[in-house]
Amino acid sequence: QVQLAESGGGPVQAGGSLTLSCTVSGIDFKWYGMGWFRQVPGKEREFVACSIWNGDRSTYADSVKGRFTISKDNAEKILYLRMHSLKPEDTATYYCALGDAGAGQDRRNYQYWGQGTQVTVYS
């Protein structure tokens, strides 16, 4: 049984930093694609960042490029999202997801999702 669980969310002042973690169980995720998405109430879940294969390639949404970094610890089965220079518009529930190696930016390509962790950025 595949399970994903996010942690690390919370309140943070604008301009600050926060690191989210996603622990994966029930599968060897070394060669799978993984991504981070976020959602605001009343809006569709949107792409933030993804890593394909063994972390060889990473892609970021324009809104977070240069500020967020996605990484994987294959040995410990943990996906990270390091966030810097946070802005109020980054406020959302953040979800990690697992899919095939080339899942990419489309949330429809991901089969497994965590429960989400809330990030609130204060101005």
Side-chain angles (χ1 to χ4, degrees):
Q1 184 177 16
V2 178
Q3 291 186 314
L4 282 65
E6 304 93 340
S7 63
V12 61
Q13 188 173 340
S17 301
L18 203 63
T19 297
L20 306 182
S21 300
C22 174
T23 59
V24 180
S25 62
I27 194 171
D28 182 358
F29 81 169
K30 182 177 181 179
W31 303 113
Y32 290 84
M34 294 199 70
W36 287 96
F37 295 77
R38 65 188 183 186
Q39 188 170 27
V40 175
K43 301 289 186 179
E44 291 189 346
R45 194 166 299 183
E46 67 175 4
F47 169 77
V48 175
C50 69
S51 178
I52 63 173
W53 295 107
N54 196 27
D56 186 52
R57 295 182 182 273
S58 300
T59 303
Y60 300 89
D62 289 340
S63 59
V64 306
K65 192 173 298 182
R67 300 187 296 117
F68 291 13
T69 302
I70 187 172
S71 62
K72 296 171 62 179
D73 184 332
N74 289 319
E76 299 297 327
K77 296 183 178 180
I78 302 175
L79 178 72
Y80 296 99
L81 183 68
R82 293 186 289 121
M83 306 182 292
H84 302 285
S85 301
L86 284 162
K87 305 174 181 179
E89 51 262 45
D90 294 319
T91 295
T93 300
Y94 284 72
Y95 300 86
C96 65
L98 182 148
D100 293 335
Q105 304 177 41
D106 192 337
R107 66 181 185 273
R108 292 171 293 185
N109 293 333
Y110 292 85
Q111 290 79 55
Y112 302 97
W113 296 83
Q115 297 296 309
T117 186
Q118 178 68 33
V119 173
T120 302
V121 184
Y122 295 95
S123 61

